[in-house]
Amino acid sequence: MKPGIHPEYRPVVYRDRAADFAFLTRSTATGDQTVEWTDGATYPVIDVQISSASHPFWTGRQRLLDTEGRVEKFRAKYARRGPRPTR
C-alpha cells in the first residue's frame, strides 16, 4: 500500500435515533459531531436513518404483500384480450 493515499481507519459510532440504538465499529467515514461512548472515550458519531434495530425485515414488523390479489388483477387485465395473432 502506498503511504498517504488512504483515509484514516478509526472507531466511529453509528446512531439510529429512531430506534434509540447505537453501535461502535471501525470506519473511514467522518462526522462533525462526537459522542461519549460507554467506555468513557469520545468518538465521532454518524446518524443513520435506518439500522437493524428499526428496519422492518430485522424487527419482524414487515408488511406481507397480497400476492394472490396481484395475480388475479393481472389475469383480469389480460383476460380481456384475445390470443395474440400469429404471422
Side-chain angles (χ1 to χ4, degrees):
M1 291 189 350
K2 291 183 180 180
I5 64 168
H6 300 285
E8 183 183 356
Y9 187 64
R10 64 182 179 283
V12 176
V13 174
Y14 283 91
R15 179 173 54 191
D16 181 359
R17 289 185 181 248
D20 194 29
F21 176 70
F23 59 94
L24 177 67
T25 187
R26 295 182 56 86
S27 177
T28 59
T30 59
D32 297 332
Q33 302 173 350
T34 59
V35 67
E36 186 173 331
W37 194 243
T38 56
D39 62 1
T42 302
Y43 299 105
V45 64
I46 297 174
D47 290 324
V48 293
Q49 294 180 2
I50 196 159
S51 69
S52 61
S54 61
H55 192 281
F57 179 80
W58 298 108
T59 60
R61 291 180 282 162
Q62 66 185 17
R63 194 177 63 169
L64 297 176
L65 298 176
D66 180 21
T67 55
E68 183 177 335
R70 290 181 182 204
V71 171
E72 294 304 319
K73 184 176 178 182
F74 176 82
R75 287 184 180 158
K77 180 178 179 180
Y78 291 101
R80 287 181 250 145
R81 295 184 182 179
R84 192 173 178 180
T86 57
R87 293 183 186 189

